[in-house]
Coordinates of all heavy atoms in Angstrom, one line a residue:
L1 N 211.0 20.6 67.6 CA 210.1 21.7 67.9 C 210.3 22.9 67.0 O 209.3 23.5 66.5 CB 210.3 22.1 69.4 CG 209.4 23.3 69.9 CD1 207.9 22.9 69.8 CD2 209.8 23.6 71.3
T2 N 211.5 23.2 66.7 CA 211.9 24.3 65.8 C 211.3 24.0 64.4 O 210.7 24.9 63.7 CB 213.4 24.5 65.7 OG1 213.8 24.8 67.1 CG2 213.7 25.7 64.8
T3 N 211.5 22.8 63.9 CA 211.0 22.4 62.6 C 209.5 22.6 62.6 O 208.9 23.1 61.6 CB 211.4 21.0 62.3 OG1 212.8 20.9 62.3 CG2 210.8 20.5 60.9
K4 N 208.8 22.1 63.6 CA 207.3 22.2 63.6 C 206.8 23.7 63.7 O 205.9 24.0 63.0 CB 206.8 21.5 64.8 CG 206.9 20.0 64.6 CD 206.4 19.2 65.8 CE 206.5 17.7 65.6 NZ 206.3 16.9 66.7
V5 N 207.5 24.5 64.5 CA 207.2 25.9 64.5 C 207.4 26.6 63.2 O 206.5 27.3 62.7 CB 208.0 26.7 65.6 CG1 207.8 28.2 65.5 CG2 207.5 26.2 67.0
A6 N 208.5 26.3 62.5 CA 208.8 26.9 61.2 C 207.7 26.4 60.2 O 207.3 27.2 59.4 CB 210.2 26.4 60.7
K7 N 207.4 25.1 60.1 CA 206.4 24.6 59.2 C 205.0 25.3 59.4 O 204.3 25.6 58.5 CB 206.3 23.1 59.2 CG 207.4 22.4 58.5 CD 207.2 20.9 58.4 CE 208.3 20.3 57.6 NZ 208.0 18.8 57.4
H8 N 204.7 25.3 60.7 CA 203.4 25.9 61.1 C 203.3 27.4 60.6 O 202.3 27.8 60.0 CB 203.1 25.8 62.6 CG 201.8 26.4 63.0 ND1 200.6 25.8 62.8 CD2 201.5 27.6 63.6 CE1 199.7 26.5 63.3 NE2 200.2 27.6 63.8
Y9 N 204.3 28.1 60.9 CA 204.4 29.6 60.5 C 204.3 29.7 59.0 O 203.5 30.4 58.4 CB 205.6 30.2 61.0 CG 205.8 31.6 60.5 CD1 205.1 32.7 61.0 CD2 206.6 31.9 59.3 CE1 205.2 34.0 60.5 CE2 206.7 33.1 58.8 CZ 206.0 34.2 59.4 OH 206.2 35.4 58.8
S10 N 205.2 28.9 58.3 CA 205.2 29.0 56.8 C 203.9 28.6 56.2 O 203.5 29.2 55.2 CB 206.4 28.2 56.3 OG 207.6 28.7 56.8
Q11 N 203.3 27.5 56.7 CA 202.1 27.1 56.1 C 201.0 28.1 56.3 O 200.2 28.4 55.4 CB 201.6 25.7 56.7 CG 200.4 25.2 56.0 CD 200.6 25.0 54.5 OE1 201.5 24.2 54.1 NE2 199.8 25.6 53.6
G12 N 201.0 28.7 57.5 CA 200.0 29.8 57.7 C 200.2 31.0 56.8 O 199.2 31.5 56.3
E13 N 201.4 31.3 56.4 CA 201.7 32.4 55.5 C 201.3 32.0 54.1 O 200.7 32.8 53.4 CB 203.2 32.8 55.5 CG 203.6 33.6 56.7 CD 202.9 34.9 56.8 OE1 203.1 35.8 56.0 OE2 202.0 35.1 57.7
L14 N 201.6 30.8 53.7 CA 201.1 30.3 52.3 C 199.6 30.4 52.2 O 199.1 30.8 51.2 CB 201.7 28.9 52.0 CG 203.2 28.8 51.9 CD1 203.5 27.3 51.6 CD2 203.8 29.7 50.8
T15 N 199.0 29.9 53.3 CA 197.5 30.0 53.3 C 197.0 31.4 53.3 O 196.1 31.7 52.5 CB 197.0 29.2 54.5 OG1 197.5 27.8 54.5 CG2 195.5 29.2 54.6
R16 N 197.5 32.2 54.1 CA 197.1 33.6 54.2 C 197.3 34.3 52.9 O 196.4 35.1 52.5 CB 198.0 34.4 55.3 CG 197.6 35.8 55.5 CD 198.5 36.5 56.5 NE 199.8 36.7 56.1 CZ 200.2 37.7 55.2 NH1 199.3 38.5 54.7 NH2 201.5 37.8 54.9
L17 N 198.3 34.0 52.2 CA 198.6 34.6 50.9 C 197.7 34.0 49.7 O 197.8 34.5 48.6 CB 200.0 34.6 50.5 CG 200.9 35.4 51.5 CD1 202.4 35.0 51.3 CD2 200.7 36.9 51.3
G18 N 197.0 32.9 50.0 CA 196.2 32.3 49.0 C 196.9 31.5 48.0 O 196.4 31.4 46.8
L19 N 198.1 31.0 48.3 CA 198.9 30.3 47.2 C 198.4 29.0 46.9 O 198.7 28.4 45.8 CB 200.4 30.2 47.7 CG 201.1 31.6 47.9 CD1 202.6 31.3 48.2 CD2 200.9 32.5 46.7
G20 N 197.6 28.4 47.7 CA 196.9 27.1 47.4 C 197.8 25.9 47.4 O 197.5 24.9 46.7
I21 N 199.0 26.0 48.1 CA 199.8 24.8 48.2 C 200.3 24.6 49.6 O 200.2 25.5 50.4 CB 201.1 24.9 47.3 CG1 202.0 26.1 47.7 CG2 200.7 25.0 45.8 CD1 203.4 26.0 47.0
T22 N 200.8 23.4 49.9 CA 201.4 23.1 51.2 C 202.9 23.3 51.2 O 203.5 23.4 50.1 CB 201.1 21.7 51.6 OG1 201.8 20.8 50.7 CG2 199.6 21.3 51.6
I23 N 203.4 23.4 52.4 CA 204.9 23.5 52.5 C 205.6 22.3 51.7 O 206.5 22.5 51.0 CB 205.3 23.5 54.0 CG1 204.9 24.8 54.6 CG2 206.8 23.3 54.1 CD1 205.4 26.1 54.0
E24 N 205.0 21.1 51.9 CA 205.6 19.9 51.3 C 205.6 20.1 49.8 O 206.5 19.7 49.1 CB 204.9 18.7 51.7 CG 205.2 18.3 53.1 CD 204.5 19.1 54.2 OE1 203.5 19.8 53.9 OE2 204.9 19.0 55.4
Q25 N 204.5 20.6 49.2 CA 204.4 20.8 47.8 C 205.4 21.9 47.3 O 206.0 21.7 46.3 CB 202.9 21.2 47.4 CG 201.9 20.1 47.6 CD 200.5 20.6 47.5 OE1 200.2 21.7 47.3 NE2 199.6 19.7 47.8
W26 N 205.5 23.0 48.1 CA 206.5 24.0 47.8 C 207.9 23.4 47.7 O 208.7 23.6 46.8 CB 206.5 25.2 48.7 CG 207.7 26.1 48.4 CD1 208.9 26.1 49.1 CD2 207.8 27.0 47.4 NE1 209.7 27.0 48.5 CE2 209.1 27.6 47.4 CE3 206.9 27.4 46.4 CZ2 209.5 28.6 46.5 CZ3 207.3 28.4 45.5 CH2 208.6 28.9 45.5
I27 N 208.3 22.6 48.7 CA 209.6 22.0 48.7 C 209.8 21.1 47.5 O 210.9 21.2 46.9 CB 209.8 21.1 50.0 CG1 209.9 22.1 51.2 CG2 211.0 20.3 49.9 CD1 209.8 21.4 52.6
V28 N 208.8 20.3 47.1 CA 208.9 19.5 45.9 C 209.1 20.4 44.7 O 210.0 20.1 43.8 CB 207.7 18.6 45.8 CG1 207.7 17.9 44.4 CG2 207.8 17.5 46.8
L29 N 208.3 21.5 44.5 CA 208.5 22.4 43.4 C 209.9 23.0 43.4 O 210.5 23.1 42.3 CB 207.4 23.5 43.5 CG 206.0 23.1 43.1 CD1 205.1 24.3 43.4 CD2 205.9 22.7 41.7
K30 N 210.4 23.4 44.5 CA 211.7 24.0 44.6 C 212.8 23.0 44.2 O 213.7 23.4 43.4 CB 211.9 24.6 46.0 CG 213.2 25.4 46.1 CD 213.2 26.6 45.3 CE 214.4 27.5 45.6 NZ 215.2 27.8 44.4
I31 N 212.7 21.8 44.7 CA 213.7 20.8 44.3 C 213.7 20.5 42.8 O 214.7 20.5 42.2 CB 213.5 19.5 45.1 CG1 213.8 19.7 46.6 CG2 214.3 18.3 44.5 CD1 213.4 18.5 47.5
I32 N 212.5 20.4 42.3 CA 212.4 20.2 40.8 C 213.0 21.3 40.0 O 213.6 21.2 39.0 CB 210.9 19.9 40.4 CG1 210.4 18.6 41.0 CG2 210.8 19.9 38.9 CD1 208.9 18.4 40.9

């Protein structure tokens, strides 16, 4: 539940800011 709430919040913020990526895409970019 905590993971889902965190992902939902974070994705909402990325969308609100117009970054044009998903949380999963951000994680991949950060790992790379």
Side-chain angles (χ1 to χ4, degrees):
L1 181 59
T2 302
T3 300
K4 287 177 180 172
V5 167
K7 282 186 175 183
H8 180 75
Y9 172 82
S10 296
Q11 186 59 61
E13 286 297 294
L14 293 180
T15 301
R16 183 182 68 78
L17 294 167
L19 297 186
I21 64 167
T22 65
I23 291 301
E24 288 77 16
Q25 291 167 6
W26 171 263
I27 290 168
V28 168
L29 288 173
K30 186 66 172 123
I31 291 170
I32 295 169

